[in-house]
């Protein structure tokens, strides 16, 4: 017997009962982006593997063990994108979007990482991302944080999410700090797990991010990057905090928030929730002034964030949401009535463009058609029977309240319905 066909582990269908929440989130973000004057960019799902190695870095979880990499038919190494920033920068460089320009961009779509699937962690997941280019002040960092905050407020999630911020300073400051950190970790080398020992030379900052419980006390006591910063970096970070306070956004400073990638500088931040277990980070971002020249462009300041759509939808699922229901379901009997009903449905969609109108398709008794009308949650059934056809009328049956059935002239129907619901 042939094997049952099913989706790939960690890659999910988003079924019709869930898509309304996705649309709610995407629609709200779409509105926010419009309000702040951001333009959408759409990039391919597949890029050359080299792009991710050069941007995300060889010594990161993503590149070391999570990428879907394969050989194209002509032998090139390609990868499914594990995130959007690298692709966005590649696109910007390729099309000259950065040259003496300010860009405020956003994108959305699937990302791919070969991780162990669990609640809130999948192999195909979706991100909504923002990337800004050409602005070096803390105000643009505040702006992208405020955009996410505005989105939480629109969705009623603001009380469940907390903001953590940190600064990584400049790459020069980090280089000095790295030496201090490496010598500290060397003093405690026996406490470092295998991953951390490997990272000690390649990416020591990432060790601060370790979730290994056995290493926590030692990490807590490590020297802090904030103490190694120069005046400019300190001031930049202070400035951001002032902006956030003035805008009424609460935050905590988490000195262990490092985001592990070499191209980050100055501000990094994360929005987290305690109600999704270990997968509590729903949005993460920061400044990455180093990336564009790292990929061959002119040095360009950049700030961005990425939200995990599945995790946000999991949060939204914990709330009650009203799903929009159709206004009317048209039922009828006979061939002539069917043709009329099709016409009536189109007419109503012209006249009441903001309401759902469903035409019954297929046969069945009126009784079975009413059942279908009820099942889809329609407010009203519109009936085209013999009598109605003869008299150019429609009968309205109220499915959600006990009002008497009513027969009205067809040309008065839409005015009547526009006052309904
Ligand atoms: P984590 O520490 O949870 O692995 P990350 O640092 O790898 O997250 P980022 O690369 O910063 O994640 O991606 C931004 C956001 O995308 C995350 O905060 C999260 O909400 C979401 N995300 C990342 N990986 C996954 C995944 N495998 N499945 C679902 N959502 C994800
Ligand atoms: Mg990860």
């Amino acid at each position: 017997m042939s094997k049952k066909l099913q989706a790939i582990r960690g890659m999910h269908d988003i079924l019709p009962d869930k898509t309304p929440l996705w649309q709610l989130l995407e629609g709200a973000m779409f509105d926010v982006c419009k309000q702040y004057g951001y333009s959408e960019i759409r990039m391919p799902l597949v890029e050359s593997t080299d792009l991710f190695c050069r941007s995300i870095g060889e010594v990161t979880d993503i590149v070391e063990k999570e990428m879907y990499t394969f050989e194209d038919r002509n032998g090139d190494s390609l990868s499914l994108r594990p995130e959007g920033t690298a692709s966005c920068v590649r696109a910007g460089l390729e099309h000259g979007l950065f040259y003496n320009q300010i860009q405020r961009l956003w994108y959305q779509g699937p990302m791919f990482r070969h991780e162990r699937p669990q609640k809130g962690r999948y192999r195909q997941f979706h991100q909504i991302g923002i990337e800004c280019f050409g602005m070096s002040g803390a105000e643009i960092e505040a702006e992208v944080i405020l955009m996410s905050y505005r989105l939480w407020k629109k969705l009623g999630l603001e009380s469940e999410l907390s903001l953590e911020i940190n600064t990584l300073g400049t790459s020069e400051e980090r280089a000095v700090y790295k030496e201090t950190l490496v010598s500290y970790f060397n003093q405690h080398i026996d406490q470092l797990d295998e991953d951390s020992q490997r990272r000690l030379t390649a990416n020591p900052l990432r060790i601060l991010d370790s979730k290994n419980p056995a290493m926590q006390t030692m990490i807590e006591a490590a020297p802090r990057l904030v103490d190694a910063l120069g005046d400019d970096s300190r001031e930049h970070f202070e400035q951001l905090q002032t902006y956030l306070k003035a805008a009424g956004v609460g935050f905590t400073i988490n000195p262990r928030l490092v985001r592990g990638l070499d191209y980050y500088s100055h501000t990094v931040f994360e929005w987290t929730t305690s109600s999704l277990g270990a997968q509590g980070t729903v949005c993460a971002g920061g400044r990455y002034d180093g990336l564009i020249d790292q990929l061959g462009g002119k040095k360009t300041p950049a700030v961005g964030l990425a939200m995990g759509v599945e995790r946000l939808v999991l949060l939204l699922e914990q709330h009650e949401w009203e799903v929009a229901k159709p206004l009317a379901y048209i039922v009828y009997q006979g061939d002539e009535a069917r043709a009329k009903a099709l016409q009536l449905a189109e007419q109503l969609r012209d006249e009441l463009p903001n309401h759902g109108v469903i035409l019954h398709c297929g046969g069945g008794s009126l009784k079975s058609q009413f059942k279908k009308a009820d099942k889809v949650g329609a407010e009203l059934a519109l009936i085209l029977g013999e009598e109605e056809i003869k008299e150019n009328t429609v009968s309205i049956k109220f499915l959600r309240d006990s009002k008497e059935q009513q027969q009205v002239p067809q040309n008065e129907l839409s005015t009547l319905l526009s006052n309904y619901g």
Side-chain angles (χ1 to χ4, degrees), residues 61-62 66 113 115 121 206:
D61 281 350
I62 295 180
E66 296 173 359
R113 296 184 193 177
E115 304 194 67
R121 191 176 294 286
R206 192 73 208 226

Side-chain angles (χ1 to χ4, degrees), residues 113 115 120-122 125 127 259 281-284 306 308 311:
R113 296 184 193 177
E115 304 194 67
R121 191 176 294 286
Y122 312 102
F125 64 100
Q127 286 185 341
R259 311 240 354 95
T281 306
V282 299
C283 174
R311 293 184 192 177

Side-chain angles (χ1 to χ4, degrees), residues 106-169:
W106 73 279
Y107 58 82
Q108 64 171 333
M111 307 295 162
F112 303 85
R113 296 184 193 177
H114 196 274
E115 304 194 67
R116 194 169 67 78
Q118 51 198 294
K119 188 179 167 199
R121 191 176 294 286
Y122 312 102
R123 290 182 174 175
Q124 172 174 325
F125 64 100
H126 296 73
Q127 286 185 341
I128 299 177
I130 296 174
E131 315 289 353
C132 302
F133 301 97
M135 294 162 278
S136 56
E139 65 277 13
I140 188 65
E141 297 159 13
E143 180 174 292
V144 299
I145 292 174
L146 288 173
M147 282 174 84
S148 49
Y149 185 57
R150 185 174 295 274
L151 180 68
W152 315 147
K153 283 193 290 188
K154 266 178 178 279
L155 299 169
L157 296 177
E158 76 274 24
S159 61
E160 291 161 59
L161 294 174
S162 21
L163 174 65
E164 293 182 1
I165 62 173
N166 190 25
T167 177
L168 300 180

Side-chain angles (χ1 to χ4, degrees), residues 34-210:
K34 214 158 126 190
Q35 277 190 295
Y36 285 77
Y38 282 60
S39 310
E40 188 184 0
I41 180 164
R42 303 187 186 196
M43 297 86 65
L45 302 195
V46 180
E47 299 273 357
S48 103
T49 302
D50 191 41
L51 170 66
F52 301 117
C53 298
R54 282 174 60 191
S55 56
I56 298 168
E58 301 274 0
V59 193
T60 53
D61 281 350
I62 295 180
V63 171
E64 277 183 338
K65 46 193 186 200
E66 296 173 359
M67 280 219 290
Y68 279 89
T69 298
F70 58 96
E71 242 181 47
D72 196 2
R73 282 176 190 277
N74 56 14
D76 298 336
S77 179
L78 306 183
S79 294
L80 300 184
R81 63 180 188 191
E83 53 119 57
T85 307
S87 310
C88 187
V89 169
R90 197 264 315 132
L93 284 172
E94 188 171 334
H95 302 286
L97 303 187
F98 303 143
Y99 191 71
N100 284 343
Q101 288 182 70
I102 298 286
Q103 295 288 352
R104 288 177 158 93
L105 305 175
W106 73 279
Y107 58 82
Q108 64 171 333
M111 307 295 162
F112 303 85
R113 296 184 193 177
H114 196 274
E115 304 194 67
R116 194 169 67 78
Q118 51 198 294
K119 188 179 167 199
R121 191 176 294 286
Y122 312 102
R123 290 182 174 175
Q124 172 174 325
F125 64 100
H126 296 73
Q127 286 185 341
I128 299 177
I130 296 174
E131 315 289 353
C132 302
F133 301 97
M135 294 162 278
S136 56
E139 65 277 13
I140 188 65
E141 297 159 13
E143 180 174 292
V144 299
I145 292 174
L146 288 173
M147 282 174 84
S148 49
Y149 185 57
R150 185 174 295 274
L151 180 68
W152 315 147
K153 283 193 290 188
K154 266 178 178 279
L155 299 169
L157 296 177
E158 76 274 24
S159 61
E160 291 161 59
L161 294 174
S162 21
L163 174 65
E164 293 182 1
I165 62 173
N166 190 25
T167 177
L168 300 180
T170 63
S171 57
E172 294 76 27
E173 287 159 349
R174 239 171 14 254
V176 176
Y177 170 69
K178 266 185 201 168
E179 282 179 24
T180 322
L181 194 63
V182 169
S183 86
Y184 172 82
F185 284 139
N186 269 323
Q187 287 159 29
H188 300 85
I189 192 97
D190 51 322
Q191 291 178 48
L192 294 184
D193 59 20
E194 208 180 298
D195 261 356
S196 304
Q197 296 211 4
R198 205 161 32 84
R199 285 183 172 142
L200 191 54
T201 33
N203 199 347
L205 250 68
R206 192 73 208 226
I207 301 174
L208 295 173
D209 201 25
S210 163

